Amino acid sequence: MDKKVDELRSILKKYGQEHLLNHYETLNETSKKELLNQIELINFELINSLYHSTKKEEKHREDKITPIDYVDKYKLYDDYKHYENIGKKAIKEGKLAAVTMAGGQGTRLGHKGPKGTYDIGLDSHKSLFELLSDNLKEEGKKYGVTIPWFIMTSRENNKETLAFFEKNKYFGYQKDKNIFFFIQGELPMIDTEGKILIGEDGFIKQAADGHGGIYESLVKSEMTKRMKQMGIEWIFIGGVDNCLVKMVDPVLMGIAIDKEVTVACKSVVKANPQEKVGVFCRRNGKPNVIEYSEITEEMAEARDEEGELLYGESHILCNLFRVDAVERMGANPLPYHVAYKKATYRNKEGKLIVPDSPNAYKFEAFLFDAFGEVDDMAILRVKREEEFAPVKNADSAGVDCPRTARELYKKFYHID
Ligand code: UTP
């Protein structure tokens, strides 16, 4: 072990991260091993380049942004039935599974514990996980199948998530038969000097690598392999925090199959041109999502001859993929975006520091950055009031919060 420590020390020195072993001698044998393993797994070159990226403004000025085609679910007329029948057939044949991304930290909501365990305040006191499971089970019944459910957690919330499901008897699902859990990847957090942080527990401070980590983790955890063995060809990937998410949609699936695309996404039209949401577009010819901060006012206001916004289709994290497309996306690393966050850590002397303002960089990949892997995708505009009730913020924010989500949920399901 001493030899390994020496080797790691010299690597750490090369990258200016020697402090990671400052308290090594004070640890017991098991913790020593764990810390060394953690250090061995760090890609220091990547961390270096990510740190340098924090010094540059993230700009895509040279990118050519153009509008992308979409269809409105309620303006499909005769095609509606045609697509629906194709989708229904595939669902009945067991070709669809649902994937829920539940690895996020839910910082804005401020709930202690995994976001999926959050009770949005309905009389039933059902958690987000239970609301999602209700929807999946109900839809499955329509087609005489159980829709397999795959749940992505993070190292931070995996144990608590599993305990929650166990306590709730997996909401009627059977573990490792039709409900599966897998853990997403993570990356060390660094301070403003580029130093990797040590967390409260004395180990490297790591944070989940963003919802874009979904592809790599589905492949690495061999979930895609398992899906294929189960005859699953399509997966709907959605967030845990939209209590109106419709994961089983034969029309969406029928369009994807009929148009022979490997990705089909749902959108809702922007509430107003200035709404702060990412919208679908083409970036250098390829499907993508453009953030509200990247779009000019002129683009945000631009309309087509029918009066529809040219960049008005919001990305709501409701996307359907062919499993083989996910495998391809998982093979190529996505770019990381930087977020400046508050992170409790131990300083060089081992003292616990609890900051009251942001002090550290976190790196996240975004799911939609993989859209560029495909030449074309289908976009289906759905109704906001039917499919989108996000729980992002605490009630005090007044938008996308438990109160608004609860109201939308009750309205949709006609609950008084
Ligand atoms: P958000 O980007 O809204 O993040 O995630 P969040 O973690 O829920 O909340 P904040 O930003 O910390 O307040 C959208 C969806 O993606 C999942 C979340 O769980 C949510 O379902 N997600 C996000 C992951 O699964 N992993 C991540 O690393 C990030």
Side-chain angles (χ1 to χ4, degrees), residues 309-416:
L309 291 171
L310 282 181
Y311 300 96
E313 301 309 303
S314 321
H315 174 244
I316 52 168
L317 267 188
C318 288
N319 304 314
L320 179 77
F321 296 81
R322 264 194 73 93
V323 176
D324 41 22
V326 167
E327 286 183 317
R328 282 194 299 278
M329 290 168 172
N332 296 323
L334 293 180
Y336 289 106
H337 303 259
V338 60
Y340 195 40
K341 298 252 174 179
K342 269 197 276 188
T344 301
Y345 70 103
R346 291 196 180 277
N347 68 8
K348 279 185 186 157
E349 289 73 42
K351 195 174 156 230
L352 194 68
I353 309 288
V354 186
D356 44 26
S357 57
N359 62 317
Y361 295 117
K362 178 182 181 217
F363 302 99
E364 291 184 306
F366 294 163
L367 174 130
F368 51 76
D369 277 330
F371 291 170
E373 276 293 307
V374 296
D375 289 323
D376 211 358
M377 59 162 55
I379 297 172
L380 181 68
R381 180 197 281 183
V382 296
K383 287 187 182 154
R384 185 183 282 257
E385 63 274 22
E386 291 181 356
E387 309 220 10
F388 193 49
V391 185
K392 294 287 178 196
N393 310 304
D395 272 340
S396 54
V399 284
D400 298 344
C401 60
R403 181 184 56 76
T404 52
R406 188 169 61 239
E407 281 166 8
L408 288 162
Y409 185 91
K410 282 182 163 180
K411 201 162 176 205
F412 180 76
Y413 285 105
H414 308 292
I415 303 171
D416 293 330

Side-chain angles (χ1 to χ4, degrees), residues 101-108 115 152 184 208 210-211 239-240 317 392:
M101 300 184 293
Q105 291 182 307
T107 350
R108 286 168 288 170
K115 212 184 206 182
M152 179 170 86
Q184 73 174 106
H211 44 61
V240 73
L317 267 188
K392 294 287 178 196

